Amino acid sequence: QVPLVESGGGSVQSGGSLRISCAASGYTACMAWFRQAPGKAREGVAAIDSDGGQTRYAGPVKGRFIISQDNTQNTLYLQMSGLRPEYTAKYYCAADLRRMVCSESSWDRELWYTYWGQGTQVTVSS
């Protein structure tokens, strides 16, 4: 089992910023952030290759979110700026231990990810 523990969620006003983190045990993998808003399906937000060389973003968050990782600390981050109320969701980190390079065409599909955290709530008020 690869424990993934998210933290850093909270409440923020529209236009604000927040950084969430995901602590993981030592591994090499494609890592991603997903989110699930109330009543909606879980969707991919961003992904990063194991060496941090390539990142991928969902269209709505490009230019607003930055995914990064600190392999010395075994921590994945998502820096979120320009937050909007529609970004209110539970944010999950996920690991695909079968890949070191995230799939260009399917990085945002849940079925590729073997391990998931419990999620951290992000609430954006208008």
Side-chain angles (χ1 to χ4, degrees), residues 76-122:
L76 179 73
Y77 300 101
L78 186 67
Q79 177 69 49
M80 304 181 287
S81 303
L83 287 164
R84 299 174 172 176
E86 57 263 39
Y87 294 166
T88 293
K90 199 163 191 179
Y91 285 70
Y92 299 86
C93 69
D96 178 0
L97 297 186
R98 297 165 296 182
R99 302 169 187 246
M100 290 190 285
V101 177
C102 302
S103 168
E104 186 65 38
S105 60
S106 61
W107 65 266
D108 56 347
R109 296 187 186 173
E110 293 183 58
L111 63 89
W112 293 119
Y113 296 90
T114 313
Y115 298 104
W116 294 82
Q118 294 301 305
T120 186
Q121 179 67 36
V122 173

Side-chain angles (χ1 to χ4, degrees), residues 29-35 43-69 76-79 92 94 96 99-109 112-113:
C30 161
M31 297 291 294
W33 287 100
F34 283 74
R35 67 186 178 189
E43 61 179 2
V45 175
I48 188 167
D49 292 348
S50 61
D51 64 356
Q54 192 84 290
T55 56
R56 295 154 183 83
Y57 296 93
V61 305
K62 278 182 182 176
R64 295 177 181 271
F65 291 9
I66 299 174
I67 187 171
S68 63
Q69 60 190 18
L76 179 73
Y77 300 101
L78 186 67
Q79 177 69 49
Y92 299 86
D96 178 0
R99 302 169 187 246
M100 290 190 285
V101 177
C102 302
S103 168
E104 186 65 38
S105 60
S106 61
W107 65 266
D108 56 347
R109 296 187 186 173
W112 293 119
Y113 296 90

Side-chain angles (χ1 to χ4, degrees), residues 8-19:
S11 297
V12 63
Q13 289 193 324
S14 181
S17 299
L18 198 65
R19 187 178 80 163

